[in-house]
């Protein structure tokens, strides 16, 4: 437990380094591209375009929630999803990629996942503004339930860091883990209700409830509900889901920080 | 010993696990207990020393005696297994393999390393030209580091490390690669550092360099601190040892090394702790219990546990139980109060959507 608090406090004491490194990362990644940072937004836009054509126009799923058109609904969900899936995969590689460098200097290794988490936020906010724009185009106005968004945003960051510290350590130890994660994320994409609302579909009730336990669904659905003014955290089934979500984060965080601390001295030898 | 120090090590040990195969590694990964059958090698067997402000400490010793391990612990790259380490100030380490990213250009490496040491973009821009000048790399600065010669690489590494303005500079055999011109440049820079009152830890095989640069020297011998004191004394003692050692026959030499290594394998941390407790008792006249507590605190208070504490285990088990319970509550579709008062309903789920969900999708 002590280890966990120590590692979390390292994130806050090094937040300046995290911010600057994230900036450097962004520049370095897109420096050899003509369109540069624009790719961060072009990529998701193309993806959204395709999903809209397939699910919104061709398959005509109708309104996923009463009174909410498909496009803003989908974009509100796909924004956190794209951020989370990219961050989970990036963070899992983060230690492995930098190990040669950090083994030769004094550097808090535990902030490496945080750098990815904060670096990817830029495209998250741009997409989010795009989602807001779509909402206004569809005559949806701000409501009091928007403040819940702050809570769900904290949930998202906590989930990302817990998974980040755990996955990055395991990826160093077992290289296959990163590939496994890729498959898991691809599968979760269809099970997190990003493209279609499974709670209003014809799925059996029990299956829906099992799918709702997914922590990614908790964040995505939470952000949607708060932005579209469709429910509160303390209403059922959100209340029990909240407990499940935070317990999941706690377990992953405790185990992840423990493993990270146990192996951080040997990261170099392990590769 | 005075309280005024820059670096203080007390009873510092470092243990390495010698895995025989990939399988072994995986097993330790999944078991939370310490496994006895894997051989443990003690690279440091309890080192206590102090470095004062403005001092240059030379560290000498034969290959594999733990010099680099010690300098890595001081610079905070690796944690100690037990013991107390206090470093007052920012450290910067220069090692042979300079820790550069090979795919990035020299300039990007300067930026990256600067950022990682906590410099701002502005500060990096200020020292950038100095670094390029010092490293004498010229037009190669925009080429990827993988195209550099080994000399250029180590020059760049050294230049970056000295220009990010640390209080404590740790040099780990980094001067042996450059040519004479660069070597002279480094010496000047190190002298300049000393004049500014900064602390230097200088690990080297070259006794001449140590004699020239250092005020004091420490001789580390197979994980133990054999001697620390005035440079002259330590260096001459070490010289004597090396020349005696060279006179031995090859068989005697390898036997000597083997015996020493075996001692490092057999080292028992609990035995060491007991011996330290005895010393403490004699020194301070404390009761056995009190002395044991003090030493144990010194050994382990700084170190994050590598074994899971029982508190952590309890928290995990509790969290799993709570999570499973609430997962079942969700799946069964009953309310929380009903599930608590009558847990048997958890295995008889309702198939209607509950009120608030229904309301939500009305």
């Amino acid at each position: 437990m002590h280890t966990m608090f120590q590692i979390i406090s390292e994130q806050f004491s090094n937040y300046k380094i995290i911010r600057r490194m994230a900036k450097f990362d962004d520049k370095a990644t897109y420096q050899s591209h003509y369109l540069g940072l624009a790719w961060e937004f072009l990529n998701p836009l193309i993806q959204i375009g395709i999903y809209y054509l397939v699910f919104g126009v061709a398959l005509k799923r109708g309104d996923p929630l009463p009174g909410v058109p498909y496009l803003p609904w989908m974009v509100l969900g796909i924004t956190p999803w794209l951020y989370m899936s990219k961050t989970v995969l990036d963070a899992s590689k983060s230690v492995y990629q930098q190990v040669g460098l950090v083994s030769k200097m004094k550097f808090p290794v535990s902030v490496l996942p945080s750098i990815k988490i904060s670096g990817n936020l830029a495209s998250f906010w741009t997409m989010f503004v795009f989602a807001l724009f779509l909402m206004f185009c569809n005559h949806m106005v701000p409501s009091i339930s928007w403040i819940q968004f702050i809570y769900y945003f904290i949930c998202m960051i906590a989930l990302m860091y817990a998974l980040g510290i755990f996955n990055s350590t395991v990826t160093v130890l077992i290289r296959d883990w990163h590939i496994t994660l890729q498959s898991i994320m691809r599968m979760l994409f269809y099970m997190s209700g990003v493209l279609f609302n499974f709670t209003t579909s014809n799925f059996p009730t029990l299956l829906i409830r099992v799918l709702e336990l997914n922590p990614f669904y908790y964040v995505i659905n939470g952000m949607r509900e708060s932005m579209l003014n469709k429910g509160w955290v303390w209403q059922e089934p959100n209340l029990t889901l909240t407990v499940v979500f935070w317990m999941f984060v706690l377990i992953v965080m405790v185990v992840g920080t423990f493993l990270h601390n146990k192996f951080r001295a040997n990261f170099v030898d392990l590769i | 010993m005075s309280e005024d120090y820059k670096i203080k090590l007390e009873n510092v040990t470092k243990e390495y696990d010698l895995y025989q195969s990939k399988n072994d590694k995986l097993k330790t990964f999944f078991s939370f207990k310490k496994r006895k059958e894997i051989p443990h090698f003690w690279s440091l067997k309890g080192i206590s020393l102090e470095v004062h402000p403005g001092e240059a400490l030379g560290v000498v010793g034969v290959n594999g005696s733990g010099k680099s391990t010690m300098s890595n612990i001081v610079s905070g790259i690796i944690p100690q297994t037990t013991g107390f380490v206090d470093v007052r100030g920012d450290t910067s380490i220069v090692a042979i393999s300079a820790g550069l990213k090979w795919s990035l250009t020299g300039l990007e490496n300067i930026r990256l390393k600067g950022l990682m040491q906590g410099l701002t973009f502005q500060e990096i821009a200020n020292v950038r030209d100095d670094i390029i000048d010092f490293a004498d790399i010229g037009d190669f600065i925009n080429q990827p580091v993988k195209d550099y010669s080994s000399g250029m690489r180590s020059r760049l590494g050294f230049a970056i490390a000295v220009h990010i303005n640390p209080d404590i500079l740790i040099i780990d055999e980094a001067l042996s690669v450059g040519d004479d011109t660069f070597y002279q440049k480094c010496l000047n820079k190190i002298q300049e550092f000393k004049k500014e009152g900064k602390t230097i830890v200088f690990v080297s095989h070259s006794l001449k360099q140590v004699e020239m640069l250092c005020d004091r020297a420490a001789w580390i011998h197979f994980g133990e601190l054999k001697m620390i004191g005035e440079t002259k004394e330590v260096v001459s003692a070490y010289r004597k040892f090396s020349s005696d050692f060279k006179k031995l026959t090859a068989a005697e030499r390898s036997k000597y090394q083997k015996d020493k290594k075996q001692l490092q394998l057999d080292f028992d941390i609990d035995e060491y702790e007991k011996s330290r407790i005895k010393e403490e008792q004699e020194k301070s006249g404390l009761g056995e219990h009190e002395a044991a507590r003090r030493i144990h605190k010194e050994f382990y208070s700084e170190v994050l546990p590598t074994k899971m504490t029982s508190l952590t285990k309890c928290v995990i088990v509790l969290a799993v139980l709570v999570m499973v319970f609430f997962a079942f509550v969700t799946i069964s579709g009953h309310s929380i109060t009903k599930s608590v008062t009558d847990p048997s309903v958890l295995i008889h789920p309702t198939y209607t959507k509950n009120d608030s969900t229904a309301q939500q999708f009305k």
Side-chain angles (χ1 to χ4, degrees), chain B residues 189-341:
Chain B
K189 192 78 193 171
I190 291 171
Q191 298 286 6
E192 202 179 295
F193 251 76
K194 271 176 76 179
K195 266 188 208 129
E196 285 169 33
K198 288 176 178 169
T199 310
I200 297 169
V201 175
F202 187 75
V203 179
S204 180
H205 280 296
S206 156
L207 294 175
K208 261 197 201 126
Q209 287 175 12
V210 172
E211 274 177 326
M212 196 152 57
L213 285 170
C214 301
D215 311 314
R216 289 202 309 155
W219 174 11
I220 300 203
H221 197 56
F222 292 101
E224 278 169 335
L225 183 67
K226 190 146 184 172
M227 209 178 161
I228 182 164
E230 290 300 313
T231 309
K232 251 186 217 158
E233 292 168 33
V234 176
V235 167
S236 62
Y238 181 65
R239 268 215 183 98
K240 188 171 174 306
F241 165 79
S242 325
S243 62
D244 286 351
F245 191 63
K246 270 180 212 150
K247 278 178 208 148
L248 298 175
T249 64
E252 280 171 326
R253 259 186 263 173
S254 78
K255 185 178 180 305
Y256 180 81
Q257 277 170 334
K258 221 173 163 184
D259 288 351
K260 285 285 183 190
K261 294 271 173 209
Q262 192 56 44
L263 279 179
Q264 279 178 295
L265 282 171
D266 294 341
F267 181 74
D268 186 345
I269 186 69
D270 296 328
E271 287 292 320
Y272 178 65
E273 195 179 340
K274 269 180 207 149
S275 75
R276 285 287 300 129
I277 291 171
K278 273 221 177 84
E279 274 175 44
E280 180 77 15
Q281 260 177 295
E282 279 159 21
K283 207 171 82 185
S284 58
L286 287 170
E288 193 183 332
H289 191 67
E290 180 67 18
R293 225 189 50 193
R294 189 184 283 187
I295 292 291
H296 192 79
K297 194 168 165 243
E298 195 182 291
F299 266 50
Y300 294 103
S301 64
E302 282 263 303
V303 188
L304 289 172
T306 53
K307 272 179 281 183
M308 235 185 219
T309 56
S310 41
L311 174 71
T312 314
K313 278 182 200 156
C314 287
V315 169
I316 290 180
V317 170
L318 204 68
V320 169
L321 288 179
V322 172
M323 187 172 90
V324 169
F325 176 75
F326 277 91
F328 267 101
V329 172
T330 315
I331 294 170
S332 71
H334 293 288
S335 69
I336 300 173
T337 40
K338 197 173 174 194
S339 309
V340 174
T341 50

Side-chain angles (χ1 to χ4, degrees), chain B residues 68-106:
Chain B
S68 291
T69 309
M70 195 189 87
S71 62
N72 282 344
I73 288 177
V74 169
S75 54
I77 291 174
I78 55 173
Q80 68 275 28
T81 307
T82 70
F84 172 82
V85 177
D86 190 12
V87 178
R88 296 174 173 172
D90 295 329
T91 58
S92 178
I93 186 166
V94 203
I96 276 191
S97 43
L100 301 169
K101 229 177 165 168
W102 286 39
S103 57
L104 297 181
T105 69

Side-chain angles (χ1 to χ4, degrees), chain A residues 45 48 71 75 79 125-135:
Chain A
L45 281 187
I48 289 173
L71 192 57
V75 174
T79 303
W125 289 120
T126 323
M127 290 283 295
F128 186 68
V129 169
F130 178 63
L132 288 183
F133 169 75
L134 286 177
M135 280 176 67

